[in-house]
Each structure stands twice: as structure tokens, then as C-alpha cells.
Amino acid sequence: NHGTSEAAALFIGGSWLASVGESAGTRWQIMGRHWIEKQTPRLIGPHGSFSQYSLNYHRLMLDTMSLVKIWQNRLNQRPFSQKWGDCVSEAARWIFRMTNSQNGDGPNVGANDGAQLLPLAGVSYRDFRPSVQLAFALFSNLRAYSEDGPWNNLLRGLGVPLPQKEASPPNCYIADDGGFAMLRNQRAIAMLRYPRFKFRPSQADALHLDLWLDDENILCDAGTYSYNTDPKWMTYFSGTASHNTIQFDGRDQMPRLGRFLFGNWLKTLYMEPLSTVNETTKFSAGYRDDRGATHRRQLSMTESKLMIRDKVSGFSDKAVLRWKLAPGNWTVEGNENLVRLIKADGDWFSLAVESDIPLSRFELVEGWRSLHYLKKESVPVLEVEVNFPGILTTEVSWKK
């Protein structure tokens, strides 16, 4: 984000200074334009993923590029290249697919320090719709959201006309340039994070699964909390233990090299492409870490059910499956091969984990999530532990 925002500042500031007669402004404007054109296709992949693998930093970059486009239009500057516009348009579609249209929120994936460039729409910080609507209008001449609402406030405030043509609704999608799989149906959104690292990862979240039902993030990511806090919180929020995935032998999926660095970046060694047959959508991915532990995760989603099949092997002592749950009153019951979660507020949702090998432990423990920087809240986490290679199958179902 420094590369894009500093280049944008050079272009906007330089062109303004040039417009009022300051000769040095022209040089800064040219420099800013050069770096915007050079950085954008390098940092944004062909499927729209941004280099920071973060929903919030993706918005920051997108708002920055929107301001560049608005400024170029206002001063009648020479247009940027088609390649630049196509890159930003694809980045807008990426976040459009990630965003829940009912409340504007999205998976709490990747680093998040609370940055927001355009807090002008009068909506929650976690509502991404105003930025999506603005970018769609500027780069695709489409409206992402058809109805009128606060997501149009940025366009009104910045003098951007609202297009008449509507974008197609988001659908199932693979952003393989960043390692994101999106499975969607009428009520559910499932996001799988798999390792495709061209740039350094900030979290050890390989094969993390986020699940949204209507506007509720029922299986959630922990978030970031803080970049500068006690070591235990730094380790927890960026580590494997805070994500809906498998943790091997009590360690992170990649070795830590410092506060913000991981080594031995994981690679996806197994993948079955996204497919939909007879109203069932499937996707699979897997990796092997530097110590030989392997995890393959297969998703299968229908109108009212999501099946998650985790095949694990190659670890020394234990493998722990975690499901971080939305706040609420949950209870757990089960035996050595089957665990069921019970939600106190009704029977509309159920989650069960079945294993082909004996479970050595299952319990609800206290976990944490951070929806806003420097704020955290306690959430329940289901932990299921095995000591031998095998297959864990989680069935999540909900009423239609």
C-alpha cells in the first residue's frame, strides 16, 4: 500500500501544484504517474488479488486508485493506460465478490490496522459497499448495488455520476493469483484461503475457511488486533491457532522470522478446480509443510449444506481442527468418532465433525477475534484433536 499511496500522492499533489504554476509539480506528477502505471499490474494479479492478501488493505488500495481517477478526470489530465484501468477494475470485482451485500461486511482476512482512506459515507467501518460502488462507477461504468443507499454517498460527495447499468451479482469464483476460492449460493458464502504467495504472507492461515449465512459470519477469522502488543497476542492473531484450519504439533504452518515475517512459504501442491454439478459446488486444495505434514481440504456446498473433508498426515504428535464460532451460547456433545455442536437459539444451524480414527479430544475453548484495530472480544472455538493420520469430515447445515 505504500507503493500505491505514495505514487498517488506524487501524481495528485504534483498535478495540483503544476495547475497553479509551480514548475516542480510537473516533475512530481510525471513521477507519480510512472509509478502508478508500473506498480499496479505488479501488485494486482490477473484475478484481482492485491499483494497484501487483506480485505482492508485491498479497500485502501482501491480507494487510492479511485481518487487518482477522480483527480485525473477533474483536471482533464491525460488518461492512464487501459492496462491500469483493467487492473483496478478487476480488483474492484475481487472485493465485490468478497463483500456480503446485506451488510457490506466481508471475511476478516489478512492484516488490518484500521486504515480507511474515505470514511465519508456515514456507514460502519466494516461496510465495504461505498468503496465498491465508487470503483465500479469509475472503472466499469456500472453500479454494483442497484438500490439507493448510503453506499452511494461517496459518489454524491465526490461528484461521480451513478451509472444506469447494473453489474451482474457476484458468483462462485477462484482468484488463483492470491489463493482465494469463493463458493456462493442464495444464503451462504464460503471463502477458502489457500497458499499462492507471490508476496510475503502476514498470517499463517492456509486453508482457513470463512462461512457466512445471510449477514452472520458464523465461522470467522480472528483478524489482527494489533501490530505492537504482547508477544502472546501477536503470535495468536497472526498464527495458525486463530484460524479455521488444521494446526500440526502445536506450531504455525510456517516458521516465524520476526514480527511480520514467515519463512518457508507454503505452496499449494494439490488442487481440484471449482466446479458445479447438479447444484453442488466443489473445490479442493492442499499443501505439505517444510516438516512433511500434509493437509488436504475438500469443500462441497449445496443450497443448505457445506461439507468440509480434511485429510491429514505426516505430523509427529497431534493435529487440531478448529472452528471459530460467532459469539453465542454453544454446547458440544459427542464420542470418540462424532462431535456435534448445539446452538442455544434454535435449530436452524448445526455442525458435526466425524472422524475415521478415534478422537483424542474435543471441547469448546475460549478464543478471540478482533473486528476493529486494538479491540478484541472472546468467542467460542471448537477444537477437535487426533493423534494419527486420518480424515475429519465436518458437516454444516442450515434451514433453507
Side-chain angles (χ1 to χ4, degrees):
N1 71 90
H2 288 272
T4 54
S5 59
E6 290 168 19
L10 282 169
F11 173 76
I12 293 172
S15 60
W16 178 76
L17 288 170
S19 73
V20 296
E22 174 56 61
S23 59
T26 300
R27 178 169 59 89
W28 294 331
Q29 173 190 348
I30 293 171
M31 185 184 300
R33 178 186 286 270
H34 167 78
W35 284 107
I36 288 170
E37 292 273 19
K38 185 174 182 178
Q39 291 274 56
T40 303
R42 178 174 178 268
L43 299 177
I44 300 173
H47 305 124
S49 300
F50 183 51
S51 59
Q52 289 185 278
Y53 314 119
S54 157
L55 202 67
N56 193 65
Y57 278 130
H58 196 106
R59 173 173 63 183
L60 180 65
M61 173 275 297
L62 195 62
D63 285 346
T64 302
M65 296 299 101
S66 291
L67 282 181
V68 167
K69 179 67 172 174
I70 291 170
W71 192 259
Q72 175 240 309
N73 290 343
R74 290 292 177 83
L75 292 190
N76 292 316
Q77 295 283 320
R78 175 170 56 89
F80 284 80
S81 68
Q82 184 67 41
K83 184 178 182 179
W84 174 77
D86 290 345
C87 278
V88 182
S89 176
E90 200 58 45
R93 292 180 182 278
W94 183 96
I95 199 169
F96 177 51
R97 294 181 175 107
M98 286 278 187
T99 299
N100 187 312
S101 61
Q102 296 186 43
N103 60 7
D105 205 346
N108 200 16
V109 64
N112 180 358
D113 62 1
Q116 187 178 16
L117 188 60
L118 295 173
L120 308 173
V123 299
S124 163
Y125 161 79
R126 295 200 57 87
D127 189 338
F128 293 85
R129 289 172 296 184
S131 295
V132 174
Q133 188 82 315
L134 178 64
F136 263 66
L138 289 168
F139 294 97
S140 301
N141 196 29
L142 296 170
R143 59 168 75 188
Y145 307 105
S146 57
E147 295 90 5
D148 191 23
W151 43 87
N152 290 329
N153 289 347
L154 276 184
L155 282 77
R156 297 188 185 102
L158 296 170
V160 177
L162 181 65
Q164 294 302 310
K165 189 175 180 181
E166 299 175 10
S168 301
N171 51 15
C172 298
Y173 185 70
I174 298 294
D176 194 56
D177 51 11
F180 297 93
M182 298 294 295
L183 281 65
R184 282 177 169 266
N185 61 32
Q186 191 169 14
R187 288 195 60 191
I189 306 172
M191 184 213 74
L192 183 70
R193 178 84 176 97
Y194 62 98
R196 283 283 195 244
F197 300 130
K198 182 180 177 182
F199 301 89
R200 72 170 173 85
S202 64
Q203 298 196 352
D205 60 355
L207 301 188
H208 164 82
L209 178 77
D210 236 63
L211 178 64
W212 293 71
L213 293 174
D214 298 325
D215 61 355
E216 184 174 6
N217 191 188
I218 198 79
L219 299 177
C220 57
D221 196 320
T224 299
Y225 179 53
S226 175
Y227 295 159
N228 186 22
T229 183
D230 295 340
K232 74 169 186 175
W233 295 119
M234 293 282 293
T235 300
Y236 176 78
F237 278 96
S238 62
T240 303
S242 70
H243 294 94
N244 295 327
T245 187
I246 300 284
Q247 183 179 30
F248 295 115
D249 299 322
R251 56 180 170 81
D252 283 328
Q253 296 164 334
M254 298 172 285
R256 290 182 181 272
L257 303 179
R259 277 201 303 166
F260 302 112
L261 293 176
F262 288 97
N264 294 340
W265 295 356
L266 297 175
K267 295 180 180 179
T268 295
L269 299 180
Y270 163 82
M271 189 168 75
E272 294 181 5
L274 181 73
S275 65
T276 301
V277 179
N278 296 328
E279 300 183 348
T280 299
T281 302
K282 295 182 178 182
F283 178 75
S284 302
Y287 70 86
R288 181 177 61 203
D289 69 18
D290 64 331
R291 300 190 190 184
T294 63
H295 179 197
R296 290 188 177 188
R297 173 161 279 183
Q298 180 184 71
L299 305 183
S300 177
M301 190 164 78
T302 65
E303 186 178 358
S304 58
K305 184 181 296 185
L306 174 65
M307 301 288 290
I308 307 108
R309 184 178 184 268
D310 292 306
K311 184 177 182 180
V312 295
S313 63
F315 53 94
S316 299
D317 179 39
K318 63 181 179 179
V320 178
L321 168 66
R322 291 185 178 88
W323 294 121
K324 188 180 297 290
L325 304 161
N329 187 9
W330 300 82
T331 56
V332 62
E333 60 183 29
N335 54 47
E336 66 174 12
N337 292 107
L338 180 65
V339 176
R340 294 188 184 278
L341 268 181
I342 301 171
K343 201 171 189 298
D345 63 354
D347 61 355
W348 66 275
F349 173 87
S350 67
L351 185 150
V353 180
E354 187 172 7
S355 174
D356 68 347
I357 54 173
L359 304 176
S360 60
R361 178 176 65 90
F362 60 87
E363 62 180 325
L364 278 175
V365 302
E366 183 181 45
W368 299 87
R369 73 171 179 179
S370 174
L371 296 177
H372 301 85
Y373 196 63
L374 296 179
K375 295 182 179 180
K376 63 182 186 294
E377 64 176 337
S378 173
V379 294
V381 178
L382 174 65
E383 292 189 349
V384 179
E385 182 177 324
V386 295
N387 301 126
F388 302 98
I391 296 173
L392 297 164
T393 300
T394 302
E395 180 180 294
V396 182
S397 60
W398 55 91
K399 288 190 174 180
K400 298 180 182 179

